[in-house]
Amino acid sequence: MAADCIFCKIAGGKTETEFLYENETLVVFRDIKPHTPVHVLIVPKKHIRSVNDLTEADSKIISEMMMVAKEIAKKESVSESGYKLLFNVERGGGQVVFHLHLHLMGGWKR
Ligand code: 5GP
Ligand code: ZN
């Protein structure tokens, strides 16, 4: 756990944040300021700053994040209508929380 990292605190169960899903690798919770009707964050328990910091040893974490995203999309009823999966990388890429996370966004009426 990194000091002063909000997602380390959340993933470690140290806040009131409700999990949609949790396993030994990651947690899933709703974005506090949703940009879309369904806006969920898939967050590994391991503190990794961004995609830039991934190593070969993190491959399993990334694949789990994608597989869980697919299942959460189903649960949130956006599989059929469609959704976006997004990693913001560093400041220029829109990242503001420097603990790796995958955005799952969907639920538009299109
Ligand atoms: P980023 O721009 O770093 O890719 O996305 C960070 C996301 O985390 C933002 O959409 C922001 O609303 C969300 N977020 C930041 N702090 C919290 C928090 O304490 N709780 C929750 N649930 N979401 C947060
Ligand atoms: Zn962290």
Side-chain angles (χ1 to χ4, degrees), residues 6-7 10 17 29-33 35 39 41 88 94-97 101 103:
I6 182 62
F7 283 4
I10 292 175
T17 307
F29 53 88
R30 294 194 193 283
D31 196 291
I32 205 168
K33 229 178 112 186
H35 289 77
H39 189 174
L41 301 172
N88 290 328
Q95 189 175 6
V96 296
V97 176
H101 53 279
H103 294 258

PDB file of all heavy atoms in Angstrom, residues 6-7 10 17 29-33 35 39 41 88 94-97 101 103, ligand 1:
ATOM      1  N   ILE A   6      -5.503   7.124  -2.411  1.00  0.00           N
ATOM      2  CA  ILE A   6      -6.923   6.913  -2.117  1.00  0.00           C
ATOM      3  C   ILE A   6      -7.394   5.526  -2.579  1.00  0.00           C
ATOM      4  O   ILE A   6      -8.193   4.885  -1.893  1.00  0.00           O
ATOM      5  CB  ILE A   6      -7.811   8.052  -2.715  1.00  0.00           C
ATOM      6  CG1 ILE A   6      -9.286   7.856  -2.377  1.00  0.00           C
ATOM      7  CG2 ILE A   6      -7.631   8.195  -4.206  1.00  0.00           C
ATOM      8  CD1 ILE A   6      -9.633   7.882  -0.909  1.00  0.00           C
ATOM      9  N   PHE A   7      -6.874   5.047  -3.718  1.00  0.00           N
ATOM     10  CA  PHE A   7      -7.334   3.734  -4.188  1.00  0.00           C
ATOM     11  C   PHE A   7      -6.725   2.593  -3.374  1.00  0.00           C
ATOM     12  O   PHE A   7      -7.341   1.526  -3.251  1.00  0.00           O
ATOM     13  CB  PHE A   7      -7.083   3.566  -5.692  1.00  0.00           C
ATOM     14  CG  PHE A   7      -8.093   4.312  -6.556  1.00  0.00           C
ATOM     15  CD1 PHE A   7      -9.069   5.125  -5.993  1.00  0.00           C
ATOM     16  CD2 PHE A   7      -8.076   4.176  -7.940  1.00  0.00           C
ATOM     17  CE1 PHE A   7      -9.994   5.806  -6.782  1.00  0.00           C
ATOM     18  CE2 PHE A   7      -9.003   4.848  -8.735  1.00  0.00           C
ATOM     19  CZ  PHE A   7      -9.959   5.664  -8.164  1.00  0.00           C
ATOM     20  N   ILE A  10      -9.156   2.566  -0.458  1.00  0.00           N
ATOM     21  CA  ILE A  10     -10.439   1.963  -0.844  1.00  0.00           C
ATOM     22  C   ILE A  10     -10.277   0.452  -1.020  1.00  0.00           C
ATOM     23  O   ILE A  10     -11.047  -0.332  -0.446  1.00  0.00           O
ATOM     24  CB  ILE A  10     -10.992   2.614  -2.134  1.00  0.00           C
ATOM     25  CG1 ILE A  10     -11.397   4.072  -1.862  1.00  0.00           C
ATOM     26  CG2 ILE A  10     -12.172   1.814  -2.687  1.00  0.00           C
ATOM     27  CD1 ILE A  10     -11.835   4.856  -3.096  1.00  0.00           C
ATOM     28  N   THR A  17     -16.573   2.938   0.934  1.00  0.00           N
ATOM     29  CA  THR A  17     -16.887   2.582  -0.457  1.00  0.00           C
ATOM     30  C   THR A  17     -17.420   1.158  -0.581  1.00  0.00           C
ATOM     31  O   THR A  17     -16.801   0.207  -0.092  1.00  0.00           O
ATOM     32  CB  THR A  17     -15.620   2.727  -1.337  1.00  0.00           C
ATOM     33  OG1 THR A  17     -15.097   4.035  -1.148  1.00  0.00           O
ATOM     34  CG2 THR A  17     -15.941   2.502  -2.810  1.00  0.00           C
ATOM     35  N   PHE A  29     -15.785  -0.852  -7.846  1.00  0.00           N
ATOM     36  CA  PHE A  29     -16.723   0.068  -7.179  1.00  0.00           C
ATOM     37  C   PHE A  29     -17.155   1.154  -8.147  1.00  0.00           C
ATOM     38  O   PHE A  29     -16.538   1.355  -9.198  1.00  0.00           O
ATOM     39  CB  PHE A  29     -16.098   0.659  -5.906  1.00  0.00           C
ATOM     40  CG  PHE A  29     -14.753   1.315  -6.088  1.00  0.00           C
ATOM     41  CD1 PHE A  29     -14.644   2.658  -6.428  1.00  0.00           C
ATOM     42  CD2 PHE A  29     -13.577   0.572  -5.912  1.00  0.00           C
ATOM     43  CE1 PHE A  29     -13.402   3.255  -6.593  1.00  0.00           C
ATOM     44  CE2 PHE A  29     -12.324   1.168  -6.082  1.00  0.00           C
ATOM     45  CZ  PHE A  29     -12.240   2.509  -6.417  1.00  0.00           C
ATOM     46  N   ARG A  30     -18.234   1.851  -7.789  1.00  0.00           N
ATOM     47  CA  ARG A  30     -18.758   2.914  -8.663  1.00  0.00           C
ATOM     48  C   ARG A  30     -17.912   4.181  -8.540  1.00  0.00           C
ATOM     49  O   ARG A  30     -17.463   4.523  -7.442  1.00  0.00           O
ATOM     50  CB  ARG A  30     -20.205   3.246  -8.298  1.00  0.00           C
ATOM     51  CG  ARG A  30     -21.144   2.107  -8.583  1.00  0.00           C
ATOM     52  CD  ARG A  30     -22.603   2.496  -8.554  1.00  0.00           C
ATOM     53  NE  ARG A  30     -23.415   1.283  -8.535  1.00  0.00           N
ATOM     54  CZ  ARG A  30     -23.651   0.522  -9.601  1.00  0.00           C
ATOM     55  NH1 ARG A  30     -23.177   0.868 -10.781  1.00  0.00           N
ATOM     56  NH2 ARG A  30     -24.371  -0.590  -9.489  1.00  0.00           N
ATOM     57  N   ASP A  31     -17.739   4.850  -9.671  1.00  0.00           N
ATOM     58  CA  ASP A  31     -17.019   6.123  -9.674  1.00  0.00           C
ATOM     59  C   ASP A  31     -17.830   7.142  -8.871  1.00  0.00           C
ATOM     60  O   ASP A  31     -19.049   7.242  -9.011  1.00  0.00           O
ATOM     61  CB  ASP A  31     -16.815   6.614 -11.108  1.00  0.00           C
ATOM     62  CG  ASP A  31     -15.751   7.705 -11.189  1.00  0.00           C
ATOM     63  OD1 ASP A  31     -16.014   8.817 -10.688  1.00  0.00           O
ATOM     64  OD2 ASP A  31     -14.674   7.442 -11.758  1.00  0.00           O
ATOM     65  N   ILE A  32     -17.159   7.901  -8.039  1.00  0.00           N
ATOM     66  CA  ILE A  32     -17.827   8.868  -7.159  1.00  0.00           C
ATOM     67  C   ILE A  32     -18.451  10.015  -7.967  1.00  0.00           C
ATOM     68  O   ILE A  32     -19.410  10.649  -7.519  1.00  0.00           O
ATOM     69  CB  ILE A  32     -16.812   9.404  -6.112  1.00  0.00           C
ATOM     70  CG1 ILE A  32     -17.518   9.895  -4.867  1.00  0.00           C
ATOM     71  CG2 ILE A  32     -15.894  10.480  -6.693  1.00  0.00           C
ATOM     72  CD1 ILE A  32     -16.593  10.173  -3.683  1.00  0.00           C
ATOM     73  N   LYS A  33     -17.916  10.280  -9.147  1.00  0.00           N
ATOM     74  CA  LYS A  33     -18.400  11.357 -10.013  1.00  0.00           C
ATOM     75  C   LYS A  33     -18.628  10.797 -11.410  1.00  0.00           C
ATOM     76  O   LYS A  33     -17.835  11.026 -12.328  1.00  0.00           O
ATOM     77  CB  LYS A  33     -17.338  12.473 -10.072  1.00  0.00           C
ATOM     78  CG  LYS A  33     -17.889  13.874  -9.827  1.00  0.00           C
ATOM     79  CD  LYS A  33     -16.790  14.896  -9.844  1.00  0.00           C
ATOM     80  CE  LYS A  33     -16.926  15.804 -11.065  1.00  0.00           C
ATOM     81  NZ  LYS A  33     -15.776  16.732 -11.181  1.00  0.00           N
ATOM     82  N   HIS A  35     -19.312   9.808 -15.090  1.00  0.00           N
ATOM     83  CA  HIS A  35     -19.381  10.542 -16.350  1.00  0.00           C
ATOM     84  C   HIS A  35     -20.429   9.951 -17.276  1.00  0.00           C
ATOM     85  O   HIS A  35     -20.786  10.560 -18.284  1.00  0.00           O
ATOM     86  CB  HIS A  35     -18.022  10.513 -17.048  1.00  0.00           C
ATOM     87  CG  HIS A  35     -16.984  11.353 -16.367  1.00  0.00           C
ATOM     88  ND1 HIS A  35     -16.331  10.951 -15.222  1.00  0.00           N
ATOM     89  CD2 HIS A  35     -16.514  12.581 -16.653  1.00  0.00           C
ATOM     90  CE1 HIS A  35     -15.492  11.912 -14.851  1.00  0.00           C
ATOM     91  NE2 HIS A  35     -15.590  12.912 -15.689  1.00  0.00           N
ATOM     92  N   HIS A  39     -20.834   3.882 -14.560  1.00  0.00           N
ATOM     93  CA  HIS A  39     -19.405   4.232 -14.532  1.00  0.00           C
ATOM     94  C   HIS A  39     -18.774   3.545 -13.332  1.00  0.00           C
ATOM     95  O   HIS A  39     -18.957   3.954 -12.184  1.00  0.00           O
ATOM     96  CB  HIS A  39     -19.227   5.760 -14.453  1.00  0.00           C
ATOM     97  CG  HIS A  39     -17.799   6.199 -14.631  1.00  0.00           C
ATOM     98  ND1 HIS A  39     -17.433   7.522 -14.722  1.00  0.00           N
ATOM     99  CD2 HIS A  39     -16.640   5.484 -14.739  1.00  0.00           C
ATOM    100  CE1 HIS A  39     -16.109   7.610 -14.890  1.00  0.00           C
ATOM    101  NE2 HIS A  39     -15.614   6.384 -14.881  1.00  0.00           N
ATOM    102  N   LEU A  41     -15.268   1.436 -11.682  1.00  0.00           N
ATOM    103  CA  LEU A  41     -13.805   1.353 -11.712  1.00  0.00           C
ATOM    104  C   LEU A  41     -13.359  -0.038 -11.271  1.00  0.00           C
ATOM    105  O   LEU A  41     -13.850  -0.551 -10.248  1.00  0.00           O
ATOM    106  CB  LEU A  41     -13.197   2.411 -10.788  1.00  0.00           C
ATOM    107  CG  LEU A  41     -13.560   3.862 -11.109  1.00  0.00           C
ATOM    108  CD1 LEU A  41     -13.050   4.790 -10.001  1.00  0.00           C
ATOM    109  CD2 LEU A  41     -13.026   4.289 -12.461  1.00  0.00           C
ATOM    110  N   ASN A  88      -6.769   5.740 -18.433  1.00  0.00           N
ATOM    111  CA  ASN A  88      -6.109   7.030 -18.606  1.00  0.00           C
ATOM    112  C   ASN A  88      -4.672   6.844 -18.132  1.00  0.00           C
ATOM    113  O   ASN A  88      -4.444   6.256 -17.070  1.00  0.00           O
ATOM    114  CB  ASN A  88      -6.800   8.112 -17.779  1.00  0.00           C
ATOM    115  CG  ASN A  88      -8.174   8.461 -18.324  1.00  0.00           C
ATOM    116  OD1 ASN A  88      -8.406   8.400 -19.530  1.00  0.00           O
ATOM    117  ND2 ASN A  88      -9.099   8.819 -17.453  1.00  0.00           N
ATOM    118  N   GLY A  94      -5.150  12.212 -18.932  1.00  0.00           N
ATOM    119  CA  GLY A  94      -6.332  12.430 -18.098  1.00  0.00           C
ATOM    120  C   GLY A  94      -6.320  11.703 -16.768  1.00  0.00           C
ATOM    121  O   GLY A  94      -7.304  11.722 -16.031  1.00  0.00           O
ATOM    122  N   GLN A  95      -5.197  11.050 -16.442  1.00  0.00           N
ATOM    123  CA  GLN A  95      -5.143  10.338 -15.158  1.00  0.00           C
ATOM    124  C   GLN A  95      -4.985  11.337 -14.012  1.00  0.00           C
ATOM    125  O   GLN A  95      -4.144  12.238 -14.076  1.00  0.00           O
ATOM    126  CB  GLN A  95      -3.954   9.354 -15.149  1.00  0.00           C
ATOM    127  CG  GLN A  95      -3.962   8.428 -13.942  1.00  0.00           C
ATOM    128  CD  GLN A  95      -2.859   7.365 -13.992  1.00  0.00           C
ATOM    129  OE1 GLN A  95      -1.996   7.371 -14.881  1.00  0.00           O
ATOM    130  NE2 GLN A  95      -2.897   6.457 -13.031  1.00  0.00           N
ATOM    131  N   VAL A  96      -5.847  11.194 -12.993  1.00  0.00           N
ATOM    132  CA  VAL A  96      -5.732  12.058 -11.810  1.00  0.00           C
ATOM    133  C   VAL A  96      -5.476  11.244 -10.540  1.00  0.00           C
ATOM    134  O   VAL A  96      -4.950  11.778  -9.563  1.00  0.00           O
ATOM    135  CB  VAL A  96      -6.962  12.995 -11.625  1.00  0.00           C
ATOM    136  CG1 VAL A  96      -7.074  13.970 -12.777  1.00  0.00           C
ATOM    137  CG2 VAL A  96      -8.246  12.220 -11.450  1.00  0.00           C
ATOM    138  N   VAL A  97      -5.857   9.970 -10.572  1.00  0.00           N
ATOM    139  CA  VAL A  97      -5.538   9.078  -9.446  1.00  0.00           C
ATOM    140  C   VAL A  97      -4.435   8.139  -9.935  1.00  0.00           C
ATOM    141  O   VAL A  97      -4.659   7.339 -10.862  1.00  0.00           O
ATOM    142  CB  VAL A  97      -6.768   8.281  -8.974  1.00  0.00           C
ATOM    143  CG1 VAL A  97      -6.366   7.293  -7.882  1.00  0.00           C
ATOM    144  CG2 VAL A  97      -7.863   9.218  -8.457  1.00  0.00           C
ATOM    145  N   HIS A 101      -6.222   1.869 -12.739  1.00  0.00           N
ATOM    146  CA  HIS A 101      -7.649   1.533 -12.717  1.00  0.00           C
ATOM    147  C   HIS A 101      -8.203   1.529 -14.127  1.00  0.00           C
ATOM    148  O   HIS A 101      -7.759   2.280 -14.981  1.00  0.00           O
ATOM    149  CB  HIS A 101      -8.441   2.506 -11.829  1.00  0.00           C
ATOM    150  CG  HIS A 101      -8.224   3.940 -12.173  1.00  0.00           C
ATOM    151  ND1 HIS A 101      -7.126   4.641 -11.735  1.00  0.00           N
ATOM    152  CD2 HIS A 101      -8.946   4.803 -12.920  1.00  0.00           C
ATOM    153  CE1 HIS A 101      -7.187   5.874 -12.194  1.00  0.00           C
ATOM    154  NE2 HIS A 101      -8.275   6.001 -12.926  1.00  0.00           N
ATOM    155  N   HIS A 103     -11.616   2.066 -16.299  1.00  0.00           N
ATOM    156  CA  HIS A 103     -12.973   2.612 -16.293  1.00  0.00           C
ATOM    157  C   HIS A 103     -13.865   1.730 -17.168  1.00  0.00           C
ATOM    158  O   HIS A 103     -13.501   1.406 -18.294  1.00  0.00           O
ATOM    159  CB  HIS A 103     -13.002   4.017 -16.916  1.00  0.00           C
ATOM    160  CG  HIS A 103     -12.260   5.062 -16.153  1.00  0.00           C
ATOM    161  ND1 HIS A 103     -12.903   5.983 -15.347  1.00  0.00           N
ATOM    162  CD2 HIS A 103     -10.943   5.358 -16.076  1.00  0.00           C
ATOM    163  CE1 HIS A 103     -11.998   6.809 -14.827  1.00  0.00           C
ATOM    164  NE2 HIS A 103     -10.803   6.455 -15.252  1.00  0.00           N
TER     165      HIS A 103
HETATM  166  P1  5GP B   1      -8.638   8.987 -13.692  1.00  0.00           P
HETATM  167  O1  5GP B   1      -8.953  10.346 -14.265  1.00  0.00           O
HETATM  168  O2  5GP B   1      -7.459   9.016 -12.754  1.00  0.00           O
HETATM  169  O3  5GP B   1      -8.507   7.937 -14.762  1.00  0.00           O
HETATM  170  O4  5GP B   1      -9.924   8.581 -12.902  1.00  0.00           O
HETATM  171  C1  5GP B   1     -10.053   8.635 -11.524  1.00  0.00           C
HETATM  172  C2  5GP B   1     -11.513   8.450 -11.224  1.00  0.00           C
HETATM  173  O5  5GP B   1     -11.641   8.149  -9.859  1.00  0.00           O
HETATM  174  C3  5GP B   1     -12.357   9.705 -11.493  1.00  0.00           C
HETATM  175  O6  5GP B   1     -13.377   9.409 -12.435  1.00  0.00           O
HETATM  176  C4  5GP B   1     -12.920  10.069 -10.111  1.00  0.00           C
HETATM  177  O7  5GP B   1     -14.245  10.530 -10.156  1.00  0.00           O
HETATM  178  C5  5GP B   1     -12.797   8.758  -9.338  1.00  0.00           C
HETATM  179  N1  5GP B   1     -12.553   8.910  -7.918  1.00  0.00           N
HETATM  180  C6  5GP B   1     -11.618   9.737  -7.332  1.00  0.00           C
HETATM  181  N2  5GP B   1     -11.651   9.622  -5.997  1.00  0.00           N
HETATM  182  C7  5GP B   1     -12.634   8.703  -5.730  1.00  0.00           C
HETATM  183  C8  5GP B   1     -13.134   8.170  -4.493  1.00  0.00           C
HETATM  184  O8  5GP B   1     -12.696   8.506  -3.389  1.00  0.00           O
HETATM  185  N3  5GP B   1     -14.136   7.257  -4.600  1.00  0.00           N
HETATM  186  C9  5GP B   1     -14.640   6.854  -5.804  1.00  0.00           C
HETATM  187  N4  5GP B   1     -15.628   5.936  -5.784  1.00  0.00           N
HETATM  188  N5  5GP B   1     -14.184   7.341  -6.976  1.00  0.00           N
HETATM  189  C10 5GP B   1     -13.198   8.252  -6.936  1.00  0.00           C
END
